Amino acid sequence: MKKSLLPFLSLFILLSAFTCENEPLDYDQESINSINNSNNSSNNTDLVGTWDLISFDVDMVSSINLPTGITITDIIVSSTSTDYQVTFTNSEFTTTGSYSYDTFIEAGGISQQDNLTLTDVTGSGSYTTDGNEITTEGAFFDFSFEGVDQSAFEDNQTSNYSISADGQTLTFYQNQTTLQSNNGFETEIDIVAESIWQKVN
């Protein structure tokens, strides 16, 4: 599996994933209450099994402070079709399948839109949970954005998740801001992401 993007997706990820490792998450209180009410477990039992991907959405805005001014890049990703699964054991996960997604990228006043399909995607990794927080080594999704810095989407990801009261719907959430410094240039990256999964019985 390529190391290109979430948390998903971050999605994570994607998603996903879709977050940077060990960075604090920034949620409003209503989201936190919803997550806590739907899943108060601090072990991995509720995650174990196979889940079908229903949808994912990611909005990432990066602002780079350069000598010539601030450069802003906005990337929006939304799934259009999914035939993709993640399977959790007590400490590891595997992914397999295919999915399509729309991308919208705007940078420096220039925009580009694409619809991409990835087939025969496979991946694996390990994970741990702490309350409603999940940390993964390995990515749930592959994404490809030519010419876009993808350092915000490394393999070690932390996000929040919730499982519906009936145990059939799994949702990963992400809303965070991170700061990076490269060669004296500061980059602020804002990511809002969500992926929804249905339990395979």
Side-chain angles (χ1 to χ4, degrees):
M1 183 171 153
K2 290 179 267 182
K3 290 175 60 176
S4 37
L5 174 63
L6 277 322
F8 219 237
L9 65 280
S10 216
L11 242 133
F12 186 148
I13 358 15
L14 135 323
L15 296 164
S16 128
F18 296 92
T19 60
C20 297
E21 65 178 291
N22 300 325
E23 293 290 341
L25 299 177
D26 183 17
Y27 283 94
D28 60 52
Q29 190 60 45
E30 184 177 331
S31 296
I32 292 172
N33 291 340
S34 173
I35 292 169
N36 289 338
N37 290 337
S38 61
N39 182 21
N40 292 315
S41 174
S42 62
N43 60 47
N44 303 338
T45 304
D46 293 338
L47 283 173
V48 171
T50 299
W51 302 82
D52 283 329
L53 176 64
I54 303 302
S55 65
F56 60 83
D57 296 283
V58 180
D59 187 356
M60 184 191 87
V61 178
S62 67
S63 304
I64 305 174
N65 195 352
L66 300 171
T68 56
I70 296 176
T71 300
I72 297 175
T73 301
D74 189 11
I75 301 173
I76 299 172
V77 181
S78 295
S79 60
T80 55
S81 66
T82 60
D83 182 16
Y84 194 64
Q85 292 183 330
V86 61
T87 299
F88 291 98
T89 66
N90 285 327
S91 61
E92 297 180 343
F93 69 88
T94 57
T95 60
T96 185
S98 62
Y99 47 88
S100 299
Y101 57 96
D102 286 332
T103 64
F104 173 81
I105 302 173
E106 184 173 24
I110 300 172
S111 61
Q112 176 181 341
Q113 291 180 286
D114 285 305
N115 180 270
L116 302 169
T117 298
L118 297 181
T119 59
D120 299 322
V121 178
T122 60
S124 62
S126 61
Y127 76 99
T128 58
T129 59
D130 182 9
N132 297 313
E133 188 174 88
I134 183 169
T135 301
T136 63
E137 287 191 24
F140 286 168
F141 296 99
D142 258 350
F143 289 97
S144 180
F145 305 117
E146 279 191 39
V148 175
D149 179 10
Q150 298 176 30
S151 60
F153 303 110
E154 296 299 329
D155 284 344
N156 296 337
Q157 307 291 318
T158 298
S159 64
N160 282 62
Y161 72 97
S162 68
I163 298 176
S164 61
D166 64 3
Q168 298 302 300
T169 303
L170 169 64
T171 305
F172 292 102
Y173 302 90
Q174 189 175 358
N175 185 351
Q176 84 176 54
T177 298
T178 61
L179 297 174
Q180 297 180 351
S181 181
N182 291 313
N183 298 323
F185 299 116
E186 295 292 328
T187 303
E188 178 179 304
I189 301 172
D190 299 304
I191 300 175
V192 177
E194 179 182 77
S195 64
I196 300 173
W197 308 75
Q198 190 75 36
K199 188 74 175 278
V200 176
N201 293 318

